[in-house]
Amino acid sequence: MEAALKPRPVDDLQAVGLKAYSRVADAWSLTVREAAGLCDMSDSSWKRAKTASFRGELTRDQLLRLSALIGIYKSLQLYFSPDLADRWIKLPNTGPEFDGQRPVDAMIDGGLPKILSVRTYLDALRGGA
């Protein structure tokens, strides 16, 4: 029973998070610059990080960003039709979190606090709050 409760090594979590976020970035048709900006990486770092051979170490902030962005993806998939869910991130938005900006730009500009705020906003929409 103890083996089932043993936490995964950070390297495994990082690899899984990067793989999942890479798929999200593809689904959202993000440019390298957008995908990197959401992760708080340079373009060249993102290009390396999304490969299976990446051996770098992500910061806690970057891991939290990956987790929240994957959660945003899931919320969008549950709330909207598949086509709209994948386009939503790049559509100008007049919602309270975006002030007319595209969500991707608002989150890049606002960093982790904005990403978490958008995640909360979408979860509230989906939950009817």
Side-chain angles (χ1 to χ4, degrees):
M1 184 75 153
E2 279 187 42
L5 300 175
K6 187 176 179 182
R8 286 183 162 214
V10 173
D11 291 348
D12 289 353
L13 295 174
Q14 179 175 294
V16 169
L18 285 168
K19 184 176 182 178
Y21 175 66
S22 182
R23 290 179 178 173
V24 167
D26 287 344
W28 286 343
S29 301
L30 297 178
T31 65
V32 168
R33 175 144 305 183
E34 291 166 339
L38 286 170
C39 291
D40 194 29
M41 294 181 183
S42 67
D43 294 0
S44 60
S45 292
W46 169 242
K47 288 178 187 176
R48 285 191 307 274
K50 69 180 185 173
T51 66
S53 61
F54 179 69
R55 296 292 174 248
E57 199 169 310
L58 299 181
T59 66
R60 180 169 172 79
D61 178 272
Q62 289 169 323
L63 289 171
L64 289 170
R65 285 169 182 254
L66 294 179
S67 176
L69 290 163
I70 293 163
I72 288 169
Y73 174 82
K74 184 64 176 172
S75 286
L76 291 170
Q77 293 296 315
L78 291 170
Y79 193 69
F80 296 118
S81 67
D83 178 57
L84 181 55
D86 290 342
R87 291 183 307 116
W88 181 89
I89 194 103
K90 289 188 162 191
L91 297 174
N93 195 310
T94 57
E97 288 294 326
F98 311 106
D99 203 24
Q101 282 187 299
R102 301 181 318 154
V104 66
D105 297 326
M107 290 188 291
I108 290 170
D109 292 345
L112 182 58
K114 178 57 89 176
I115 293 169
L116 293 173
S117 182
V118 170
R119 168 95 193 258
T120 301
Y121 170 72
L122 289 170
D123 287 345
L125 284 178
R126 193 171 50 83

